[in-house]
Amino acid sequence: MLCTMRFLKGFIIGIKVRATGKEIFTGQGIFHLPAWLLLIFSLWTPSDGGKVLVIPMDGSHWLSIHPVLEHLQQRGHQIVVIAPDANLWMKPSDHYTMKTFAVPYTTEYLKAEFQKLGHKIFAQQSFLSKMTETFARIRNITTLFFSNCKQLLNNQEMITYIKENRFDVIFMDPVSPCGQILAEYLSLPSIYYLRGIPCGLDSVATQCPNPHSYVPKFFTAHTDHMTFNQRVKNFLVGSFEFIICYLLYSPYELLSKEFLHRDMTVPELYSQASVWLLRYDFVFEYPRPVMPNMVFIGGINCGKKSPLAQEFEAIVNNSGEHGIVVFSLGSMVSEIPMKKAMEIAEGLGTIPQTVLWRYTGEVPPNLAKNTKLVKWLPQNDLLAHPKTRAFITHAGSHGIYEGICNAVPMVLMPLFGDQMDNAKRVESRGAGVILNIIEMTAKDISNALQAVIYDKKYKENIQRLSELHLDRPIHPLDLAVHWVEFVMKHKGAAHLRPAAHDLNWVQYHSIDVIAFLLAVVLLALIISLKCCLFCCRKCCGKGGRVSKKSKSKSQ
Amino acid sequence: MLCTMRFLKGFIIGIKVRATGKEIFTGQGIFHLPAWLLLIFSLWTPSDGGKVLVIPMDGSHWLSIHPVLEHLQQRGHQIVVIAPDANLWMKPSDHYTMKTFAVPYTTEYLKAEFQKLGHKIFAQQSFLSKMTETFARIRNITTLFFSNCKQLLNNQEMITYIKENRFDVIFMDPVSPCGQILAEYLSLPSIYYLRGIPCGLDSVATQCPNPHSYVPKFFTAHTDHMTFNQRVKNFLVGSFEFIICYLLYSPYELLSKEFLHRDMTVPELYSQASVWLLRYDFVFEYPRPVMPNMVFIGGINCGKKSPLAQEFEAIVNNSGEHGIVVFSLGSMVSEIPMKKAMEIAEGLGTIPQTVLWRYTGEVPPNLAKNTKLVKWLPQNDLLAHPKTRAFITHAGSHGIYEGICNAVPMVLMPLFGDQMDNAKRVESRGAGVILNIIEMTAKDISNALQAVIYDKKYKENIQRLSELHLDRPIHPLDLAVHWVEFVMKHKGAAHLRPAAHDLNWVQYHSIDVIAFLLAVVLLALIISLKCCLFCCRKCCGKGGRVSKKSKSKSQ
């Protein structure tokens, strides 16, 4: 059915479809053949078209959610994306209607901010200044998100549009709880699409147990097997990350109160989600307790291999028996300090493979003949090529899943955010080698590449992970779409909501029960003791009195 | 593919297939056409045939696992079922090879034991004697299972057969850990197929958090929303059920030591399972924490509706606008005391619906005209009939899933085991009414039936549950088969095993970390206090000495 839908996709472009049937054709003649085909087709399409309101996030988050929107639209649903008018990646498309709202900054400002972020990665800093700067950077970004949210909720025209359009579901990225405030306001079910929320908010909001002893916290770069010292650190991070949550998210509580006219904490807001679509797969993430309303769609972004463009095909074919290495540090890094770039270029020059390096900065003068700089590369298609021997990546989760899907061993150069955690996961599975981007030398790069290319265990391990990952009963994209449709059809998924949400902290941990039982035991002990003492006194007392009497008599 | 396989099923009967290719045809001529068709077909079958060793349980457990075996065989796998030679339901079939081992009792003895069980249900007993008897009954059954296990493991011929046959996986019912002992002996991955193991062994073995505050324990008949008193009871049951586990399962530890020549506790044995196929669906079970190696296949036993036999079709058609009520207390109840049977018959006679009652006992003399007694009934097909208005059931999980699949509101008469828990789940969803089988009167039965038939909310609730249950991305049977094939192909599912298994109780609960941190805080406090005291003494000491001196001078 889906294949047929894809086959018919060509006919659909240019035709605006209202699933409610009010506007079947606009902008086209009534006798337009594709439109009629679409009508006939719509009669046997499996899903009744629903109306999905999307509140996405910019950057790689948007690139990640996009295929789901495309898939939903192909299934006959109407998709409306709400985005700030200044953004990096969110552009109009035939797959959805895009509605923008004004924000008090320009796209140029946003780009400059992101570029600044890229520049600072390579700066040598003390631990303290790095930590302070990281927090300031996160704070900066969250302030931006918060400002967007405020603008959206105060945009009366947009709110009226959303209210009038009677959506069936809100499909959102929960890095900001803005979409959930809207969902509460409109009494709509919501679905989250995410990798994770920092500071453990996702665990709190889903009432998912999160043992500090083997579930590594965000940004600790621990594996699930920790030393005692690591467990102490993990415990401390896990116990106090709520402070970071408070600092980052508390402004939303005021905003939500203003908009909804009722008090709701941020965890309460998040706990209303019907389903959490988590970009998790346990070949990459560590196994841990989960909840029934979590759906795992890790690897959703691994595309099917497309033929390479002539330019890349030629490079790959000319690489000979040694094959190629794909190198990309993602779109955030547009330039690398020349000294570091030369170090990298020198390292890349030591291997016989052809290196395809996505880099937009100044060309290092020592670039070896085997290294080809490109402004852009078809990453997944190149990774899927049998001649690809290794993948040098900044360890973003998308890139890593592409590496896993295509079974390419990795050299990992994590830059910021969750990338160190990601890199550690790949390394702990024996499928890659981590390099410290600040400290690495040409020799380190060369050694790491030689290891992942020539030491068979790396290829074997990534091959095993790939086979496990791809052996699934249903494709993650179909699974995600199923759950969006499920929530639309049944107006939520209340049957998946654990009763834990109705207990307070004391009740959840049975502290009141334990206190009661201790009190009972204590009372029983005291009564028993008193009884014993009373009996003893009775017996001994008699004896005592007797002896006293006999004593006095003897005196 | 599967349809074609089913189409070809007819050809396969009578041909013994060895997936290894050693014996493609036996007992048939080499020019046998179906055999050739099978050979051609096997070239494009999607799954490479594997060898599955099945260690099942008798009774309803066997009926439950059977469709999976059928499905696996249809996918080209070779199934060998190991069963005691005295059993109730496990009979040879074209879908598997059955190998039996001798046990020191007869089928007649077993039948008599089960019938005894049925008889005692209706006896008026005090709480204490009921509890004692229930435990004795469970003990009796587990002793029987243990005796079977001993016989199997000591059957040298059978063990040699199993060893020589080089199976790919052990597919077992974990009510007894016998299969797992074999799996350890043969170093084979294992898959469990179950509803649950009493006394919380499943939670312990999977390292699955199991909060006493909202996860009702087996046999408590609590819902997930408990009063304080219920939480106290649940906490006590949850905290001490390990004693029952010990009493029931500890003999296996000795047996396992004898057979494996190494120490393994029963939870350790169970923790080795690769995947737990749980007959769970959250329209029926309460949402709770789960683990990544748990796969939910609740409703796997809901068959497709088949046309009714002429006899039943006629009864249903003659029921008029009022329709029918299906009544079965399962195969365990062959006879009901006449007084109770008459009470039931009287209650059934008060409704205008035709009642189809599966009952093999003596006919109650007051049986009303609307009640038809039958020795057997096609339960699922009758429940699937649009004229069915209600289902009177003993609340076995299979029957309840059939009721949910077909959206039939229920009158629940739980008899023993998990049936009270099951009944409570249905009642708490507003999809049925519970009756106490010992105390119920004809009036109670009549009222309960009137309620579920004429109060619309019961039908609406079960309809909603049914829609939620049936809206799934993949059929539970296909999901179960996928995971069996997954474990065979990848020789287990080690990537789904949480690191919690490598921690002891103190480490898992971070007690060592908390103790360390408390010690650090205490030490810091003591040092700070000592420092303060030292400083104070220094300051006050000087003053003191001065004042003393001045005091002595003044004297």
Side-chain angles (χ1 to χ4, degrees):
Chain A
M1 182 66 82
L2 210 64
C3 299
T4 327
M5 292 187 88
R6 278 185 178 152
F7 179 75
L8 281 165
K9 193 180 144 194
F11 293 113
I12 308 170
I13 296 168
I15 304 169
K16 191 179 162 200
V17 183
R18 278 287 293 270
T20 47
K22 282 179 199 159
E23 303 160 37
I24 291 289
F25 317 120
T26 59
Q28 306 281 338
I30 195 84
F31 298 109
H32 194 260
L33 178 65
W36 278 109
L37 276 173
L38 182 68
L39 181 67
I40 297 161
F41 169 66
S42 71
L43 294 174
W44 52 273
T45 185
S47 64
D48 298 324
K51 293 175 88 177
V52 184
L53 179 66
V54 184
I55 314 283
M57 283 284 136
D58 209 350
S60 62
H61 285 229
W62 166 254
L63 298 179
S64 165
I65 208 168
H66 191 270
V68 187
L69 307 187
E70 199 178 317
H71 216 65
L72 279 167
Q73 186 260 354
Q74 285 167 354
R75 293 269 305 166
H77 304 294
Q78 187 191 352
I79 318 292
V80 175
V81 176
I82 307 286
D85 59 1
N87 68 67
L88 295 176
W89 296 97
M90 297 185 272
K91 304 288 165 255
S93 152
D94 295 323
H95 298 298
Y96 48 80
T97 304
M98 177 161 265
K99 289 273 176 189
T100 56
F101 59 93
V103 284
Y105 55 85
T106 62
T107 304
E108 284 63 43
Y109 167 80
L110 203 65
K111 277 185 182 164
E113 277 295 303
F114 267 79
Q115 276 185 354
K116 253 192 250 168
L117 217 66
H119 283 307
K120 287 190 178 164
I121 292 161
F122 298 94
Q124 273 281 13
Q125 286 172 301
S126 70
F127 177 75
L128 199 70
S129 70
K130 201 163 189 173
M131 282 302 287
T132 324
E133 208 161 271
T134 303
F135 184 74
R137 211 184 295 153
I138 294 174
R139 185 79 200 232
N140 200 17
I141 293 168
T142 50
T143 309
L144 214 71
F145 292 161
F146 180 71
S147 144
N148 287 356
C149 185
K150 218 168 168 180
Q151 294 294 328
L152 170 59
L153 298 183
N154 289 326
N155 190 324
Q156 210 46 55
E157 198 187 333
M158 183 67 91
I159 298 296
T160 310
Y161 166 83
I162 293 171
K163 272 167 84 174
E164 281 176 354
N165 266 272
R166 299 177 180 280
F167 289 95
D168 297 302
V169 71
I170 289 191
F171 184 44
M172 59 174 273
D173 187 318
V175 164
S176 151
C178 204
Q180 189 57 48
I181 300 176
L182 256 179
E184 289 303 298
Y185 181 69
L186 302 165
S187 300
L188 279 183
S190 57
I191 299 177
Y192 294 174
Y193 182 91
L194 70 159
R195 162 79 199 286
I197 312 181
C199 67
L201 248 177
D202 42 358
S203 295
V204 178
T206 50
Q207 293 281 355
C208 182
N210 191 17
H212 298 332
S213 50
Y214 77 97
V215 181
K217 307 296 154 193
F218 253 70
F219 307 135
T220 55
H222 291 159
T223 73
D224 56 349
H225 285 86
M226 297 177 238
T227 61
F228 179 75
N229 287 350
Q230 286 175 330
R231 284 199 294 115
V232 170
K233 182 178 157 198
N234 208 54
F235 184 88
L236 288 172
V237 173
S239 303
F240 295 106
E241 59 187 354
F242 75 93
I243 300 171
I244 301 170
C245 274
Y246 179 78
L247 292 173
L248 298 179
Y249 286 101
S250 58
Y252 286 98
E253 293 185 3
L254 285 172
L255 188 64
S256 131
K257 190 177 181 180
E258 219 171 84
F259 192 68
L260 301 174
H261 305 293
R262 65 175 194 270
D263 281 321
M264 274 185 104
T265 63
V266 170
E268 268 169 12
L269 272 169
Y270 278 127
S271 77
Q272 304 303 318
S274 295
V275 168
W276 295 64
L277 297 176
L278 282 154
R279 293 196 297 103
Y280 258 46
D281 188 280
F282 293 100
V283 298
F284 177 41
E285 303 291 342
Y286 300 119
R288 44 155 298 160
V290 295
M291 295 303 282
N293 65 343
M294 293 177 172
V295 176
F296 303 103
I297 51 159
I300 192 168
N301 294 105
C302 294
K304 278 181 189 152
K305 186 193 166 185
S306 308
L308 286 171
Q310 221 175 348
E311 171 199 357
F312 291 103
E313 188 70 48
I315 297 173
V316 175
N317 286 341
N318 290 336
S319 67
E321 52 164 340
H322 293 297
I324 63 157
V325 167
V326 181
F327 180 14
S328 168
L329 293 180
S331 54
M332 296 280 281
V333 177
S334 56
E335 209 158 350
I336 299 173
M338 184 50 79
K339 201 181 154 200
K340 181 61 59 187
M342 284 176 70
E343 199 85 57
I344 293 173
E346 191 189 331
L348 299 178
T350 62
I351 55 166
Q353 283 74 23
T354 302
V355 182
L356 267 163
W357 181 5
R358 196 211 76 93
Y359 185 51
T360 52
E362 202 183 327
V363 181
N366 65 334
L367 199 72
K369 272 189 180 170
N370 74 328
T371 310
K372 317 280 176 207
L373 288 197
V374 285
K375 299 276 180 224
W376 174 87
L377 50 76
Q379 188 167 285
N380 190 58
D381 301 334
L382 282 170
L383 290 174
H385 200 286
K387 280 201 163 190
T388 303
R389 302 282 178 265
F391 177 30
I392 312 175
T393 170
H394 62 300
S397 63
H398 293 154
I400 286 185
Y401 273 115
E402 286 185 346
I404 293 172
C405 287
N406 297 302
V408 183
M410 296 171 234
V411 171
L412 306 133
M413 299 179 181
L415 307 174
F416 53 78
D418 59 352
Q419 293 164 8
M420 185 43 105
D421 292 331
N422 300 342
K424 206 72 193 177
R425 279 156 170 70
V426 176
E427 190 195 49
S428 72
R429 261 71 176 216
V433 171
I434 298 179
L435 289 178
N436 181 325
I437 195 109
I438 312 275
E439 292 166 9
M440 69 187 185
T441 62
K443 181 106 185 95
D444 294 333
I445 298 168
S446 176
N447 286 349
L449 279 168
Q450 302 274 356
V452 299
I453 295 169
Y454 296 108
D455 188 341
K456 274 185 184 172
K457 74 173 186 204
Y458 289 98
K459 181 67 185 175
E460 282 167 9
N461 286 333
I462 193 79
Q463 188 69 47
R464 185 178 45 80
L465 292 182
S466 184
E467 282 165 13
L468 291 169
H469 174 63
L470 296 175
D471 192 356
R472 50 204 172 197
I474 180 171
H475 192 279
L477 201 50
D478 295 323
L479 195 61
V481 167
H482 166 83
W483 281 102
V484 176
E485 290 179 347
F486 184 99
V487 170
M488 280 199 278
K489 189 174 169 190
H490 305 288
K491 303 187 193 315
H495 68 300
L496 299 180
R497 187 176 170 82
H501 287 292
D502 305 318
L503 299 173
N504 60 37
W505 189 85
V506 169
Q507 289 169 327
Y508 179 88
H509 292 282
S510 296
I511 292 169
D512 52 350
V513 171
I514 294 168
F516 168 77
L517 290 173
L518 280 178
V520 168
V521 170
L522 207 69
L523 200 72
L525 275 177
I526 291 171
I527 292 172
S528 313
L529 204 72
K530 286 269 182 201
C531 287
C532 286
L533 279 175
F534 180 74
C535 293
C536 287
R537 227 179 294 143
K538 275 272 182 200
C539 302
C540 305
K542 266 182 187 169
R545 269 194 296 278
V546 169
S547 62
K548 250 184 175 179
K549 273 179 188 172
S550 57
K551 213 178 165 186
S552 61
K553 270 181 187 175
S554 67
Q555 279 172 348
Chain B
M1 182 68 81
L2 210 64
C3 299
T4 326
M5 292 189 87
R6 277 182 180 153
F7 178 76
L8 281 166
K9 193 177 142 195
F11 292 114
I12 306 169
I13 296 169
I15 304 171
K16 190 179 164 197
V17 183
R18 278 286 296 267
T20 47
K22 283 179 199 159
E23 303 160 37
I24 292 290
F25 318 120
T26 59
Q28 306 282 339
I30 195 81
F31 298 109
H32 193 265
L33 178 65
W36 279 109
L37 276 173
L38 182 67
L39 180 67
I40 296 160
F41 169 65
S42 71
L43 295 174
W44 53 274
T45 185
S47 62
D48 298 325
K51 294 176 87 177
V52 184
L53 179 68
V54 184
I55 314 283
M57 283 284 136
D58 208 349
S60 61
H61 285 230
W62 167 253
L63 299 179
S64 167
I65 210 169
H66 191 271
V68 187
L69 307 187
E70 200 178 320
H71 215 64
L72 279 167
Q73 185 259 354
Q74 284 166 356
R75 294 268 305 165
H77 304 295
Q78 187 190 355
I79 319 290
V80 174
V81 176
I82 306 287
D85 59 2
N87 69 68
L88 295 176
W89 297 97
M90 298 184 272
K91 301 289 164 255
S93 153
D94 295 322
H95 298 297
Y96 47 81
T97 304
M98 176 162 266
K99 289 273 177 190
T100 57
F101 58 93
V103 285
Y105 54 86
T106 62
T107 304
E108 284 62 41
Y109 167 81
L110 202 65
K111 276 186 184 164
E113 276 297 303
F114 268 78
Q115 276 184 354
K116 252 190 249 167
L117 216 65
H119 282 308
K120 290 195 175 159
I121 293 160
F122 299 93
Q124 275 279 15
Q125 285 173 303
S126 70
F127 176 77
L128 200 71
S129 69
K130 201 164 189 172
M131 282 301 288
T132 324
E133 207 161 272
T134 302
F135 183 74
R137 211 184 295 152
I138 293 174
R139 184 81 202 230
N140 200 18
I141 293 168
T142 50
T143 307
L144 214 70
F145 292 162
F146 179 71
S147 141
N148 288 356
C149 185
K150 218 168 167 178
Q151 294 295 328
L152 171 59
L153 298 183
N154 288 327
N155 190 321
Q156 210 45 55
E157 198 186 334
M158 182 68 89
I159 297 297
T160 309
Y161 167 82
I162 293 171
K163 272 167 84 174
E164 281 175 355
N165 266 273
R166 299 179 179 280
F167 289 95
D168 296 301
V169 70
I170 290 191
F171 184 45
M172 59 175 274
D173 187 319
V175 164
S176 152
C178 204
Q180 189 57 49
I181 299 175
L182 255 181
E184 290 301 300
Y185 181 69
L186 302 166
S187 301
L188 279 183
S190 57
I191 300 177
Y192 295 174
Y193 182 91
L194 70 160
R195 162 82 198 286
I197 313 181
C199 68
L201 248 177
D202 41 359
S203 295
V204 177
T206 51
Q207 292 281 354
C208 183
N210 191 17
H212 298 332
S213 50
Y214 76 97
V215 181
K217 307 295 155 195
F218 253 70
F219 307 134
T220 56
H222 291 160
T223 74
D224 55 350
H225 285 86
M226 297 177 238
T227 61
F228 179 76
N229 286 350
Q230 285 175 330
R231 283 199 295 116
V232 170
K233 182 177 156 197
N234 208 53
F235 183 89
L236 288 173
V237 173
S239 303
F240 295 105
E241 59 188 355
F242 75 94
I243 299 171
I244 300 169
C245 274
Y246 179 79
L247 292 172
L248 298 179
Y249 286 101
S250 58
Y252 286 98
E253 293 184 4
L254 284 172
L255 188 63
S256 130
K257 190 176 179 179
E258 218 171 85
F259 193 66
L260 302 173
H261 304 294
R262 65 176 192 267
D263 279 321
M264 274 186 103
T265 64
V266 170
E268 268 168 11
L269 273 170
Y270 277 127
S271 77
Q272 304 302 319
S274 296
V275 168
W276 295 64
L277 297 176
L278 281 154
R279 291 195 301 101
Y280 258 45
D281 188 281
F282 293 100
V283 299
F284 177 42
E285 303 292 342
Y286 300 118
R288 46 155 297 162
V290 294
M291 295 303 281
N293 65 342
M294 293 177 171
V295 176
F296 304 104
I297 51 159
I300 193 168
N301 295 105
C302 293
K304 278 183 190 152
K305 186 192 167 185
S306 309
L308 286 171
Q310 221 174 350
E311 170 199 0
F312 292 102
E313 188 69 48
I315 297 174
V316 176
N317 286 340
N318 289 336
S319 67
E321 52 163 338
H322 293 295
I324 64 157
V325 167
V326 180
F327 180 13
S328 168
L329 292 182
S331 55
M332 296 280 281
V333 177
S334 55
E335 208 158 353
I336 299 173
M338 185 48 81
K339 201 180 155 201
K340 181 61 61 187
M342 284 175 70
E343 199 86 55
I344 293 173
E346 191 189 331
L348 299 177
T350 62
I351 55 167
Q353 283 74 23
T354 302
V355 181
L356 267 163
W357 181 5
R358 195 212 76 91
Y359 185 51
T360 52
E362 202 184 325
V363 182
N366 63 337
L367 200 71
K369 271 188 181 169
N370 72 331
T371 310
K372 318 280 175 207
L373 287 197
V374 286
K375 299 274 181 226
W376 173 87
L377 49 77
Q379 188 167 285
N380 190 57
D381 301 334
L382 282 169
L383 290 174
H385 200 285
K387 281 199 163 192
T388 303
R389 301 283 179 264
F391 176 32
I392 313 175
T393 170
H394 62 299
S397 63
H398 292 154
I400 287 187
Y401 273 115
E402 286 186 345
I404 292 173
C405 287
N406 297 302
V408 182
M410 296 171 233
V411 171
L412 305 134
M413 300 179 180
L415 308 174
F416 52 76
D418 60 351
Q419 294 165 8
M420 183 46 103
D421 292 331
N422 300 342
K424 205 72 191 177
R425 278 156 172 69
V426 176
E427 189 194 49
S428 72
R429 262 69 176 217
V433 171
I434 298 179
L435 291 177
N436 181 324
I437 195 108
I438 311 276
E439 292 166 9
M440 68 185 183
T441 61
K443 182 103 185 99
D444 295 332
I445 298 167
S446 176
N447 287 347
L449 279 168
Q450 302 274 357
V452 300
I453 295 169
Y454 295 108
D455 187 339
K456 275 184 184 174
K457 74 173 188 203
Y458 290 98
K459 180 67 186 176
E460 282 166 9
N461 286 333
I462 193 80
Q463 188 68 48
R464 185 177 45 79
L465 292 183
S466 184
E467 283 165 12
L468 290 169
H469 174 64
L470 295 175
D471 192 355
R472 51 202 172 197
I474 179 169
H475 192 280
L477 202 49
D478 294 322
L479 195 61
V481 166
H482 166 83
W483 280 103
V484 176
E485 289 179 348
F486 184 99
V487 170
M488 279 200 278
K489 190 175 166 189
H490 304 288
K491 305 188 190 315
H495 68 300
L496 299 180
R497 186 174 172 84
H501 286 293
D502 304 318
L503 299 173
N504 60 37
W505 189 84
V506 169
Q507 290 168 328
Y508 179 89
H509 293 282
S510 296
I511 291 169
D512 51 351
V513 171
I514 295 168
F516 169 75
L517 290 174
L518 281 179
V520 168
V521 170
L522 209 69
L523 200 70
L525 276 177
I526 291 171
I527 291 171
S528 315
L529 205 72
K530 286 270 180 198
C531 286
C532 285
L533 280 175
F534 180 74
C535 293
C536 287
R537 231 179 292 144
K538 275 273 181 199
C539 303
C540 305
K542 265 182 188 171
R545 267 196 297 276
V546 168
S547 64
K548 250 185 174 176
K549 273 180 187 172
S550 56
K551 216 178 165 185
S552 60
K553 270 181 186 175
S554 66
Q555 280 172 349

